[in-house]
Amino acid sequence: MKKQQVTCKEVMHHVCESLGEDLNSPHCFAIKAHLEECSGCRDYFKSVEDTIDFYRKYNVEPTKASHLRLMNLLGLKDTE
Amino acid sequence: MDEQSLILEAQAGNSKALAELVKLYEKTIYSFAFKVCRNPEKAENTMQETFISMVKSLKQFDGKSKLSTWLYRITANHCLMEYRKRKHNYVSIDDDDALISEDSVADWANVPSFTIENSELKSVLDNAIQKLSPEYRIVFLLRDVEGLSTEETGKITDLSVPAVKSRLHRARAFLRKEISQTFKK
Ligand SMILES: [Zn+2]
């Protein structure tokens, strides 16, 4: 099998795209191999993951008051 | 009662079942709306509009898609409509090369880790995502933050799977770059 050459830039692109997805094509194997050797790309990959993680952790809930306004607006009773 | 029975009961006019359905999804919808608008009043308004639409058209809901998918779609469309009314100018993120540069990697070293008390980081996150046009923002939020599949995200936003992937990839790279630039020393 011909060895696939990938550049850091390509890895960064692809890593973005395939985060959380299956890496199974020959190209992706080459990317995985690159990631193992290249700490720059690993750091980039990690920082994209951190970015996603930040937005996941940044959560909000409706207040009790806005819950009551919603039920009231819809004419629904709040039965616990 | 499971969700399927709650929907059938609510469609038949049972208001207790309807109230249960609203309560089942109100947190999800409020939180998604907040993540799109980054503002509590707008989030509340969007949540109200979403459930008003749900109550109005629940009878037409055929159960072919999940109720959550249907609600996300109403919410996303409501947000998009609001944004279109106001005509913002968002940064263009069509240029991949501008989003990703090989020397940007080291900039992440000063980015703090997320804690709910860290209001500085939270405001950075708010600002970064608000620069992103809602079309990109919604794809990022549905796929990465809400954790829906690429296919489901496509259904909600009327985009093909490759289009979802391409928007997602640009949105991630853009947000990452915005955050890293803010904390660059
Ligand atoms: Zn590399």
Side-chain angles (χ1 to χ4, degrees):
Chain A
M1 201 168 75
K2 209 177 141 209
K3 197 171 182 289
Q4 287 220 30
Q5 287 292 324
V6 288
T7 65
C8 290
K9 193 144 192 166
E10 213 183 330
V11 168
M12 289 180 188
H13 269 273
H14 203 83
V15 147
C16 282
E17 211 184 305
S18 56
L19 262 178
E21 290 179 32
D22 211 24
L23 295 164
N24 271 321
S25 67
H27 193 69
C28 288
F29 277 116
I31 284 171
K32 266 194 209 165
H34 180 110
L35 270 179
E36 269 165 37
E37 284 162 23
C38 179
S39 65
C41 286
R42 272 205 306 279
D43 290 346
Y44 186 85
F45 188 83
K46 169 78 172 46
S47 70
V48 175
E49 282 185 316
D50 284 348
T51 301
I52 296 171
D53 200 44
F54 287 161
Y55 285 100
R56 273 196 195 142
K57 284 180 177 154
Y58 188 162
N59 261 310
V60 282
E61 279 194 9
T63 59
K64 184 83 193 157
S66 67
H67 164 72
L68 291 173
R69 281 194 291 272
L70 175 67
M71 298 307 269
N72 197 29
L73 183 71
L74 300 172
L76 294 170
K77 275 210 200 80
D78 201 352
T79 48
E80 282 303 319
Chain B
M1 232 190 283
D2 64 8
E3 186 181 300
Q4 193 61 40
S5 332
L6 280 176
I7 295 170
L8 289 173
E9 285 287 321
Q11 285 174 328
N14 178 341
S15 65
K16 238 175 134 180
L18 186 60
E20 285 308 307
L21 278 181
V22 171
K23 278 156 75 177
L24 206 53
Y25 285 105
E26 130 189 80
K27 282 183 185 159
T28 307
I29 293 305
Y30 179 87
S31 152
F32 176 60
F34 180 87
K35 286 167 187 167
V36 179
C37 320
R38 315 311 286 189
N39 170 301
E41 287 85 45
K42 285 182 194 159
E44 179 169 344
N45 181 262
T46 304
M47 170 178 78
Q48 291 177 346
E49 294 295 329
T50 300
F51 285 108
I52 290 173
S53 301
M54 178 186 107
V55 170
K56 264 192 210 151
S57 45
L58 191 64
K59 286 218 167 81
Q60 282 108 276
F61 178 72
D62 56 10
K64 274 183 196 151
S65 60
K66 287 194 265 179
L67 183 62
S68 60
T69 308
W70 195 61
L71 290 173
Y72 274 126
R73 193 181 158 88
I74 302 175
T75 311
N77 286 338
H78 182 260
C79 292
L80 284 174
M81 241 165 50
E82 285 296 306
Y83 278 104
R84 278 173 196 150
K85 268 190 229 162
R86 272 173 283 136
K87 285 225 183 285
H88 283 267
N89 283 319
Y90 294 99
V91 275
S92 159
I93 54 166
D94 297 335
D95 180 10
D96 282 347
D97 285 338
L99 288 177
I100 299 173
S101 63
E102 289 185 25
D103 58 6
S104 65
V105 170
D107 299 345
W108 201 258
N110 299 311
V111 176
S113 50
F114 186 90
T115 59
I116 210 74
E117 301 82 35
N118 190 337
S119 50
E120 188 200 3
L121 179 58
K122 280 163 80 177
S123 95
V124 171
L125 296 174
D126 287 338
N127 290 334
I129 201 164
Q130 288 188 93
K131 289 186 192 168
L132 209 53
S133 82
E135 284 83 3
Y136 283 83
R137 201 185 300 177
I138 287 171
V139 167
F140 171 77
L141 290 171
L142 287 172
R143 177 70 183 81
D144 277 342
V145 179
E146 301 297 298
L148 304 190
S149 69
T150 309
E151 288 73 17
E152 239 179 323
T153 304
K155 249 191 231 164
I156 293 168
T157 51
D158 286 327
L159 291 169
S160 66
V161 165
V164 169
K165 285 189 177 171
S166 131
R167 285 197 188 184
L168 186 63
H169 145 72
R170 288 196 178 132
R172 284 168 176 172
F174 174 80
L175 293 170
R176 184 219 163 271
K177 188 171 167 239
E178 284 292 312
I179 297 166
S180 78
Q181 278 179 349
T182 313
F183 290 101
K184 193 173 173 178
K185 291 267 155 82

